[in-house]
mmCIF file of all heavy atoms in Angstrom:
data_model
loop_
_atom_site.group_PDB
_atom_site.id
_atom_site.type_symbol
_atom_site.label_atom_id
_atom_site.label_comp_id
_atom_site.label_asym_id
_atom_site.label_seq_id
_atom_site.Cartn_x
_atom_site.Cartn_y
_atom_site.Cartn_z
ATOM 1 N N SER A 1 14.529 -4.033 -7.108
ATOM 2 C CA SER A 1 14.670 -5.336 -6.459
ATOM 3 C C SER A 1 13.639 -6.304 -7.008
ATOM 4 O O SER A 1 12.554 -5.913 -7.429
ATOM 5 C CB SER A 1 14.501 -5.210 -4.942
ATOM 6 O OG SER A 1 14.640 -6.472 -4.316
ATOM 7 N N HIS A 2 14.001 -7.607 -6.966
ATOM 8 C CA HIS A 2 13.052 -8.665 -7.299
ATOM 9 C C HIS A 2 12.456 -9.286 -6.036
ATOM 10 O O HIS A 2 11.569 -10.132 -6.128
ATOM 11 C CB HIS A 2 13.736 -9.764 -8.120
ATOM 12 C CG HIS A 2 13.974 -9.382 -9.541
ATOM 13 N ND1 HIS A 2 15.227 -9.139 -10.046
ATOM 14 C CD2 HIS A 2 13.112 -9.183 -10.567
ATOM 15 C CE1 HIS A 2 15.131 -8.821 -11.329
ATOM 16 N NE2 HIS A 2 13.865 -8.832 -11.665
ATOM 17 N N LEU A 3 12.944 -8.896 -4.862
ATOM 18 C CA LEU A 3 12.466 -9.469 -3.610
ATOM 19 C C LEU A 3 11.244 -8.687 -3.129
ATOM 20 O O LEU A 3 11.362 -7.669 -2.463
ATOM 21 C CB LEU A 3 13.574 -9.447 -2.553
ATOM 22 C CG LEU A 3 14.805 -10.295 -2.870
ATOM 23 C CD1 LEU A 3 15.826 -10.182 -1.749
ATOM 24 C CD2 LEU A 3 14.415 -11.753 -3.094
ATOM 25 N N MET A 4 10.069 -9.202 -3.478
ATOM 26 C CA MET A 4 8.832 -8.484 -3.167
ATOM 27 C C MET A 4 8.618 -8.344 -1.667
ATOM 28 O O MET A 4 8.152 -7.300 -1.189
ATOM 29 C CB MET A 4 7.633 -9.211 -3.780
ATOM 30 C CG MET A 4 7.639 -9.260 -5.283
ATOM 31 S SD MET A 4 7.554 -7.613 -6.013
ATOM 32 C CE MET A 4 9.029 -7.656 -7.012
ATOM 33 N N SER A 5 8.948 -9.380 -0.906
ATOM 34 C CA SER A 5 8.753 -9.311 0.537
ATOM 35 C C SER A 5 9.602 -8.211 1.144
ATOM 36 O O SER A 5 9.168 -7.519 2.078
ATOM 37 C CB SER A 5 9.104 -10.657 1.186
ATOM 38 O OG SER A 5 10.447 -11.021 0.903
ATOM 39 N N GLU A 6 10.792 -8.000 0.607
ATOM 40 C CA GLU A 6 11.663 -6.948 1.121
ATOM 41 C C GLU A 6 11.176 -5.568 0.688
ATOM 42 O O GLU A 6 11.211 -4.613 1.464
ATOM 43 C CB GLU A 6 13.097 -7.184 0.649
ATOM 44 C CG GLU A 6 14.120 -6.273 1.287
ATOM 45 C CD GLU A 6 14.088 -6.322 2.803
ATOM 46 O OE1 GLU A 6 13.820 -7.394 3.377
ATOM 47 O OE2 GLU A 6 14.303 -5.265 3.428
ATOM 48 N N MET A 7 10.714 -5.453 -0.536
ATOM 49 C CA MET A 7 10.186 -4.177 -0.995
ATOM 50 C C MET A 7 8.957 -3.767 -0.188
ATOM 51 O O MET A 7 8.744 -2.587 0.091
ATOM 52 C CB MET A 7 9.818 -4.255 -2.481
ATOM 53 C CG MET A 7 10.970 -4.034 -3.436
ATOM 54 S SD MET A 7 11.645 -2.354 -3.406
ATOM 55 C CE MET A 7 12.945 -2.532 -2.190
ATOM 56 N N ALA A 8 8.150 -4.751 0.204
ATOM 57 C CA ALA A 8 6.962 -4.448 0.999
ATOM 58 C C ALA A 8 7.333 -3.840 2.343
ATOM 59 O O ALA A 8 6.588 -3.028 2.905
ATOM 60 C CB ALA A 8 6.137 -5.711 1.205
ATOM 61 N N LEU A 9 8.499 -4.212 2.865
ATOM 62 C CA LEU A 9 8.963 -3.714 4.160
ATOM 63 C C LEU A 9 9.775 -2.427 4.030
ATOM 64 O O LEU A 9 9.918 -1.686 4.997
ATOM 65 C CB LEU A 9 9.822 -4.774 4.859
ATOM 66 C CG LEU A 9 9.103 -6.053 5.272
ATOM 67 C CD1 LEU A 9 10.118 -7.088 5.751
ATOM 68 C CD2 LEU A 9 8.084 -5.777 6.356
ATOM 69 N N THR A 10 10.327 -2.170 2.841
ATOM 70 C CA THR A 10 11.280 -1.073 2.673
ATOM 71 C C THR A 10 10.674 0.158 2.018
ATOM 72 O O THR A 10 10.876 1.287 2.473
ATOM 73 C CB THR A 10 12.484 -1.543 1.826
ATOM 74 O OG1 THR A 10 13.078 -2.679 2.443
ATOM 75 C CG2 THR A 10 13.527 -0.436 1.695
ATOM 76 N N ALA A 11 9.944 -0.041 0.922
ATOM 77 C CA ALA A 11 9.491 1.081 0.097
ATOM 78 C C ALA A 11 8.126 1.615 0.531
ATOM 79 O O ALA A 11 7.301 0.881 1.080
ATOM 80 C CB ALA A 11 9.436 0.667 -1.364
ATOM 81 N N GLU A 12 7.910 2.901 0.271
ATOM 82 C CA GLU A 12 6.595 3.523 0.468
ATOM 83 C C GLU A 12 5.894 3.764 -0.861
ATOM 84 O O GLU A 12 4.663 3.818 -0.916
ATOM 85 C CB GLU A 12 6.744 4.864 1.190
ATOM 86 C CG GLU A 12 7.238 4.774 2.617
ATOM 87 C CD GLU A 12 7.318 6.135 3.266
ATOM 88 O OE1 GLU A 12 6.304 6.861 3.266
ATOM 89 O OE2 GLU A 12 8.408 6.492 3.756
ATOM 90 N N HIS A 13 6.680 3.919 -1.919
ATOM 91 C CA HIS A 13 6.129 4.223 -3.237
ATOM 92 C C HIS A 13 6.732 3.254 -4.246
ATOM 93 O O HIS A 13 7.838 2.740 -4.040
ATOM 94 C CB HIS A 13 6.467 5.661 -3.636
ATOM 95 C CG HIS A 13 5.624 6.185 -4.751
ATOM 96 N ND1 HIS A 13 4.401 6.790 -4.540
ATOM 97 C CD2 HIS A 13 5.811 6.193 -6.095
ATOM 98 C CE1 HIS A 13 3.879 7.141 -5.705
ATOM 99 N NE2 HIS A 13 4.715 6.791 -6.667
ATOM 100 N N LEU A 14 6.003 2.994 -5.323
ATOM 101 C CA LEU A 14 6.458 2.055 -6.341
ATOM 102 C C LEU A 14 6.349 2.639 -7.739
ATOM 103 O O LEU A 14 5.368 3.299 -8.071
ATOM 104 C CB LEU A 14 5.631 0.761 -6.313
ATOM 105 C CG LEU A 14 5.695 -0.104 -5.055
ATOM 106 C CD1 LEU A 14 4.733 -1.282 -5.199
ATOM 107 C CD2 LEU A 14 7.112 -0.597 -4.803
ATOM 108 N N ILE A 15 7.390 2.374 -8.534
ATOM 109 C CA ILE A 15 7.335 2.551 -9.982
ATOM 110 C C ILE A 15 7.420 1.143 -10.561
ATOM 111 O O ILE A 15 8.393 0.427 -10.323
ATOM 112 C CB ILE A 15 8.525 3.380 -10.508
ATOM 113 C CG1 ILE A 15 8.613 4.740 -9.798
ATOM 114 C CG2 ILE A 15 8.422 3.555 -12.019
ATOM 115 C CD1 ILE A 15 7.483 5.670 -10.074
ATOM 116 N N VAL A 16 6.396 0.728 -11.296
ATOM 117 C CA VAL A 16 6.359 -0.628 -11.852
ATOM 118 C C VAL A 16 6.328 -0.531 -13.373
ATOM 119 O O VAL A 16 5.503 0.199 -13.932
ATOM 120 C CB VAL A 16 5.131 -1.416 -11.349
ATOM 121 C CG1 VAL A 16 5.175 -2.853 -11.857
ATOM 122 C CG2 VAL A 16 5.065 -1.394 -9.822
ATOM 123 N N ILE A 17 7.230 -1.275 -14.027
ATOM 124 C CA ILE A 17 7.248 -1.272 -15.483
ATOM 125 C C ILE A 17 7.183 -2.704 -16.006
ATOM 126 O O ILE A 17 7.523 -3.661 -15.311
ATOM 127 C CB ILE A 17 8.494 -0.558 -16.059
ATOM 128 C CG1 ILE A 17 9.783 -1.309 -15.700
ATOM 129 C CG2 ILE A 17 8.558 0.875 -15.572
ATOM 130 C CD1 ILE A 17 11.024 -0.722 -16.374
ATOM 131 N N GLY A 18 6.740 -2.850 -17.234
ATOM 132 C CA GLY A 18 6.682 -4.133 -17.913
ATOM 133 C C GLY A 18 6.886 -3.922 -19.400
ATOM 134 O O GLY A 18 6.262 -3.029 -19.980
ATOM 135 N N ARG A 19 7.809 -4.686 -19.980
ATOM 136 C CA ARG A 19 8.163 -4.522 -21.400
ATOM 137 C C ARG A 19 8.493 -3.062 -21.732
ATOM 138 O O ARG A 19 8.138 -2.552 -22.798
ATOM 139 C CB ARG A 19 7.053 -5.048 -22.303
ATOM 140 C CG ARG A 19 6.787 -6.540 -22.135
ATOM 141 C CD ARG A 19 5.798 -7.070 -23.150
ATOM 142 N NE ARG A 19 5.458 -8.449 -22.910
ATOM 143 C CZ ARG A 19 6.141 -9.499 -23.393
ATOM 144 N NH1 ARG A 19 7.212 -9.284 -24.143
ATOM 145 N NH2 ARG A 19 5.753 -10.726 -23.133
ATOM 146 N N GLY A 20 9.148 -2.394 -20.785
ATOM 147 C CA GLY A 20 9.604 -1.032 -21.002
ATOM 148 C C GLY A 20 8.573 0.050 -20.779
ATOM 149 O O GLY A 20 8.894 1.238 -20.837
ATOM 150 N N LYS A 21 7.325 -0.337 -20.513
ATOM 151 C CA LYS A 21 6.251 0.643 -20.327
ATOM 152 C C LYS A 21 5.888 0.804 -18.847
ATOM 153 O O LYS A 21 6.011 -0.145 -18.066
ATOM 154 C CB LYS A 21 4.994 0.220 -21.097
ATOM 155 C CG LYS A 21 5.126 0.296 -22.614
ATOM 156 C CD LYS A 21 3.827 -0.130 -23.282
ATOM 157 C CE LYS A 21 3.866 0.053 -24.790
ATOM 158 N NZ LYS A 21 3.908 1.473 -25.183
ATOM 159 N N LEU A 22 5.422 1.974 -18.498
ATOM 160 C CA LEU A 22 4.978 2.226 -17.131
ATOM 161 C C LEU A 22 3.651 1.514 -16.875
ATOM 162 O O LEU A 22 2.685 1.689 -17.606
ATOM 163 C CB LEU A 22 4.801 3.733 -16.908
ATOM 164 C CG LEU A 22 4.412 4.150 -15.494
ATOM 165 C CD1 LEU A 22 5.554 3.896 -14.522
ATOM 166 C CD2 LEU A 22 4.012 5.628 -15.465
ATOM 167 N N LEU A 23 3.626 0.701 -15.805
ATOM 168 C CA LEU A 23 2.399 0.014 -15.414
ATOM 169 C C LEU A 23 1.758 0.645 -14.186
ATOM 170 O O LEU A 23 0.535 0.614 -14.038
ATOM 171 C CB LEU A 23 2.694 -1.469 -15.123
ATOM 172 C CG LEU A 23 3.266 -2.301 -16.268
ATOM 173 C CD1 LEU A 23 3.480 -3.738 -15.808
ATOM 174 C CD2 LEU A 23 2.349 -2.268 -17.482
ATOM 175 N N ALA A 24 2.589 1.172 -13.286
ATOM 176 C CA ALA A 24 2.040 1.769 -12.069
ATOM 177 C C ALA A 24 3.030 2.768 -11.494
ATOM 178 O O ALA A 24 4.244 2.583 -11.569
ATOM 179 C CB ALA A 24 1.722 0.692 -11.037
ATOM 180 N N ASP A 25 2.494 3.831 -10.915
ATOM 181 C CA ASP A 25 3.266 4.855 -10.214
ATOM 182 C C ASP A 25 2.404 5.259 -9.031
ATOM 183 O O ASP A 25 1.564 6.155 -9.126
ATOM 184 C CB ASP A 25 3.542 6.041 -11.145
ATOM 185 C CG ASP A 25 4.399 7.127 -10.501
ATOM 186 O OD1 ASP A 25 4.634 7.050 -9.284
ATOM 187 O OD2 ASP A 25 4.827 8.043 -11.224
ATOM 188 N N THR A 26 2.579 4.560 -7.899
ATOM 189 C CA THR A 26 1.632 4.689 -6.803
ATOM 190 C C THR A 26 2.266 4.256 -5.494
ATOM 191 O O THR A 26 3.370 3.704 -5.474
ATOM 192 C CB THR A 26 0.383 3.837 -7.102
ATOM 193 O OG1 THR A 26 -0.598 4.038 -6.090
ATOM 194 C CG2 THR A 26 0.728 2.357 -7.153
ATOM 195 N N SER A 27 1.561 4.477 -4.398
ATOM 196 C CA SER A 27 2.050 4.019 -3.099
ATOM 197 C C SER A 27 1.951 2.501 -3.023
ATOM 198 O O SER A 27 1.172 1.877 -3.753
ATOM 199 C CB SER A 27 1.231 4.639 -1.969
ATOM 200 O OG SER A 27 -0.083 4.109 -1.951
ATOM 201 N N VAL A 28 2.738 1.905 -2.137
ATOM 202 C CA VAL A 28 2.697 0.452 -1.959
ATOM 203 C C VAL A 28 1.296 0.019 -1.542
ATOM 204 O O VAL A 28 0.751 -0.952 -2.072
ATOM 205 C CB VAL A 28 3.741 0.000 -0.911
ATOM 206 C CG1 VAL A 28 3.583 -1.489 -0.601
ATOM 207 C CG2 VAL A 28 5.155 0.277 -1.402
ATOM 208 N N ALA A 29 0.703 0.749 -0.600
ATOM 209 C CA ALA A 29 -0.626 0.385 -0.107
ATOM 210 C C ALA A 29 -1.667 0.430 -1.228
ATOM 211 O O ALA A 29 -2.475 -0.498 -1.367
ATOM 212 C CB ALA A 29 -1.032 1.320 1.027
ATOM 213 N N ASP A 30 -1.642 1.475 -2.038
ATOM 214 C CA ASP A 30 -2.603 1.589 -3.130
ATOM 215 C C ASP A 30 -2.358 0.535 -4.199
ATOM 216 O O ASP A 30 -3.303 0.007 -4.801
ATOM 217 C CB ASP A 30 -2.549 2.987 -3.749
ATOM 218 C CG ASP A 30 -3.183 4.048 -2.868
ATOM 219 O OD1 ASP A 30 -3.873 3.671 -1.903
ATOM 220 O OD2 ASP A 30 -2.976 5.244 -3.136
ATOM 221 N N PHE A 31 -1.083 0.216 -4.454
ATOM 222 C CA PHE A 31 -0.766 -0.801 -5.454
ATOM 223 C C PHE A 31 -1.359 -2.151 -5.052
ATOM 224 O O PHE A 31 -1.964 -2.852 -5.875
ATOM 225 C CB PHE A 31 0.747 -0.924 -5.611
ATOM 226 C CG PHE A 31 1.176 -1.953 -6.623
ATOM 227 C CD1 PHE A 31 1.178 -1.658 -7.977
ATOM 228 C CD2 PHE A 31 1.566 -3.223 -6.218
ATOM 229 C CE1 PHE A 31 1.568 -2.615 -8.908
ATOM 230 C CE2 PHE A 31 1.955 -4.184 -7.142
ATOM 231 C CZ PHE A 31 1.953 -3.873 -8.492
ATOM 232 N N ILE A 32 -1.182 -2.509 -3.788
ATOM 233 C CA ILE A 32 -1.724 -3.784 -3.311
ATOM 234 C C ILE A 32 -3.238 -3.767 -3.362
ATOM 235 O O ILE A 32 -3.870 -4.731 -3.805
ATOM 236 C CB ILE A 32 -1.222 -4.076 -1.884
ATOM 237 C CG1 ILE A 32 0.291 -4.329 -1.901
ATOM 238 C CG2 ILE A 32 -1.946 -5.283 -1.291
ATOM 239 C CD1 ILE A 32 0.913 -4.471 -0.524
ATOM 240 N N GLU A 33 -3.839 -2.650 -2.940
ATOM 241 C CA GLU A 33 -5.298 -2.544 -2.929
ATOM 242 C C GLU A 33 -5.868 -2.671 -4.337
ATOM 243 O O GLU A 33 -6.877 -3.363 -4.559
ATOM 244 C CB GLU A 33 -5.701 -1.200 -2.316
ATOM 245 C CG GLU A 33 -7.208 -0.958 -2.264
ATOM 246 C CD GLU A 33 -7.918 -1.887 -1.296
ATOM 247 O OE1 GLU A 33 -7.271 -2.352 -0.338
ATOM 248 O OE2 GLU A 33 -9.121 -2.147 -1.521
ATOM 249 N N GLN A 34 -5.227 -2.035 -5.318
ATOM 250 C CA GLN A 34 -5.739 -2.018 -6.684
ATOM 251 C C GLN A 34 -5.522 -3.330 -7.429
ATOM 252 O O GLN A 34 -6.190 -3.597 -8.427
ATOM 253 C CB GLN A 34 -5.080 -0.881 -7.456
ATOM 254 C CG GLN A 34 -5.476 0.503 -6.960
ATOM 255 C CD GLN A 34 -4.546 1.593 -7.446
ATOM 256 O OE1 GLN A 34 -3.678 1.358 -8.279
ATOM 257 N NE2 GLN A 34 -4.715 2.801 -6.905
ATOM 258 N N ASN A 35 -4.585 -4.140 -6.947
ATOM 259 C CA ASN A 35 -4.264 -5.393 -7.650
ATOM 260 C C ASN A 35 -4.475 -6.620 -6.785
ATOM 261 O O ASN A 35 -3.875 -7.672 -7.026
ATOM 262 C CB ASN A 35 -2.818 -5.349 -8.138
ATOM 263 C CG ASN A 35 -2.589 -4.273 -9.165
ATOM 264 O OD1 ASN A 35 -2.945 -4.420 -10.331
ATOM 265 N ND2 ASN A 35 -2.025 -3.149 -8.722
ATOM 266 N N SER A 36 -5.336 -6.504 -5.789
ATOM 267 C CA SER A 36 -5.572 -7.597 -4.862
ATOM 268 C C SER A 36 -6.849 -8.346 -5.192
ATOM 269 O O SER A 36 -7.831 -7.760 -5.636
ATOM 270 C CB SER A 36 -5.668 -7.073 -3.421
ATOM 271 O OG SER A 36 -4.437 -6.638 -2.947
ATOM 272 N N ALA A 37 -6.779 -9.636 -4.933
ATOM 273 C CA ALA A 37 -7.981 -10.452 -4.941
ATOM 274 C C ALA A 37 -8.415 -10.580 -3.484
ATOM 275 O O ALA A 37 -7.959 -11.451 -2.760
ATOM 276 C CB ALA A 37 -7.707 -11.817 -5.546
ATOM 277 N N GLY A 38 -9.259 -9.659 -3.032
ATOM 278 C CA GLY A 38 -9.638 -9.624 -1.634
ATOM 279 C C GLY A 38 -10.707 -10.647 -1.317
ATOM 280 O O GLY A 38 -11.082 -11.480 -2.133
ATOM 281 N N GLY A 39 -11.218 -10.582 -0.107
ATOM 282 C CA GLY A 39 -12.271 -11.493 0.301
ATOM 283 C C GLY A 39 -11.958 -12.111 1.640
ATOM 284 O O GLY A 39 -11.045 -11.714 2.349
ATOM 285 N N VAL A 40 -12.755 -13.114 1.984
ATOM 286 C CA VAL A 40 -12.601 -13.822 3.258
ATOM 287 C C VAL A 40 -12.211 -15.263 2.965
ATOM 288 O O VAL A 40 -12.764 -15.895 2.057
ATOM 289 C CB VAL A 40 -13.921 -13.778 4.064
ATOM 290 C CG1 VAL A 40 -13.788 -14.588 5.347
ATOM 291 C CG2 VAL A 40 -14.296 -12.340 4.382
ATOM 292 N N ARG A 41 -11.269 -15.769 3.734
ATOM 293 C CA ARG A 41 -10.850 -17.163 3.584
ATOM 294 C C ARG A 41 -11.315 -17.976 4.788
ATOM 295 O O ARG A 41 -11.275 -17.499 5.925
ATOM 296 C CB ARG A 41 -9.335 -17.267 3.420
ATOM 297 C CG ARG A 41 -8.874 -16.797 2.052
ATOM 298 C CD ARG A 41 -7.416 -17.098 1.787
ATOM 299 N NE ARG A 41 -7.036 -16.660 0.450
ATOM 300 C CZ ARG A 41 -5.809 -16.805 -0.062
ATOM 301 N NH1 ARG A 41 -4.851 -17.369 0.650
ATOM 302 N NH2 ARG A 41 -5.559 -16.385 -1.292
ATOM 303 N N ILE A 42 -11.727 -19.190 4.489
ATOM 304 C CA ILE A 42 -12.246 -20.066 5.528
ATOM 305 C C ILE A 42 -11.724 -21.483 5.313
ATOM 306 O O ILE A 42 -11.627 -21.948 4.185
ATOM 307 C CB ILE A 42 -13.798 -20.034 5.540
ATOM 308 C CG1 ILE A 42 -14.349 -20.847 6.700
ATOM 309 C CG2 ILE A 42 -14.372 -20.508 4.211
ATOM 310 C CD1 ILE A 42 -15.839 -20.605 6.929
ATOM 311 N N ARG A 43 -11.370 -22.124 6.424
ATOM 312 C CA ARG A 43 -10.918 -23.523 6.364
ATOM 313 C C ARG A 43 -11.857 -24.359 7.223
ATOM 314 O O ARG A 43 -12.091 -24.033 8.396
ATOM 315 C CB ARG A 43 -9.481 -23.649 6.859
ATOM 316 C CG ARG A 43 -8.899 -25.052 6.768
ATOM 317 C CD ARG A 43 -7.378 -25.050 6.959
ATOM 318 N NE ARG A 43 -7.006 -24.535 8.259
ATOM 319 C CZ ARG A 43 -6.914 -25.261 9.371
ATOM 320 N NH1 ARG A 43 -7.221 -26.573 9.325
ATOM 321 N NH2 ARG A 43 -6.567 -24.724 10.510
ATOM 322 N N THR A 44 -12.385 -25.399 6.629
ATOM 323 C CA THR A 44 -13.392 -26.225 7.297
ATOM 324 C C THR A 44 -13.210 -27.696 6.909
ATOM 325 O O THR A 44 -12.801 -27.989 5.774
ATOM 326 C CB THR A 44 -14.813 -25.770 6.910
ATOM 327 O OG1 THR A 44 -15.770 -26.719 7.420
ATOM 328 C CG2 THR A 44 -14.976 -25.678 5.402
ATOM 329 N N PRO A 45 -13.522 -28.623 7.806
ATOM 330 C CA PRO A 45 -13.502 -30.049 7.433
ATOM 331 C C PRO A 45 -14.741 -30.454 6.639
ATOM 332 O O PRO A 45 -14.868 -31.611 6.223
ATOM 333 C CB PRO A 45 -13.456 -30.751 8.791
ATOM 334 C CG PRO A 45 -14.143 -29.804 9.727
ATOM 335 C CD PRO A 45 -13.777 -28.432 9.243
ATOM 336 N N GLN A 46 -15.648 -29.503 6.412
ATOM 337 C CA GLN A 46 -16.881 -29.772 5.665
ATOM 338 C C GLN A 46 -16.998 -28.819 4.466
ATOM 339 O O GLN A 46 -17.972 -28.076 4.339
ATOM 340 C CB GLN A 46 -18.088 -29.599 6.592
ATOM 341 C CG GLN A 46 -18.085 -30.511 7.811
ATOM 342 C CD GLN A 46 -19.107 -30.078 8.835
ATOM 343 O OE1 GLN A 46 -18.827 -29.244 9.694
ATOM 344 N NE2 GLN A 46 -20.317 -30.637 8.725
#
């Protein structure tokens, strides 16, 4: 599927490929953790 929001709700494991090569073979949770830009977000008028 190309619908990432749906895959996040449906799948537990992911096989990810790019240009025919394997990029990832991992759980959804680990995939997000390994490819996330984490941190804290803050909104302020200053």
Side-chain angles (χ1 to χ4, degrees):
S1 180
H2 284 110
L3 296 180
M4 296 297 123
S5 58
E6 189 55 34
M7 276 293 92
L9 294 171
T10 304
E12 294 182 54
H13 197 87
L14 296 176
I15 304 294
V16 184
I17 65 174
R19 298 187 185 272
K21 291 181 175 292
L22 183 68
L23 300 181
D25 183 351
T26 185
S27 70
V28 173
D30 286 347
F31 180 81
I32 293 173
E33 179 68 26
Q34 293 164 8
N35 296 283
S36 290
V40 176
R41 287 189 178 180
I42 185 168
R43 183 166 61 87
T44 172
Q46 301 167 273

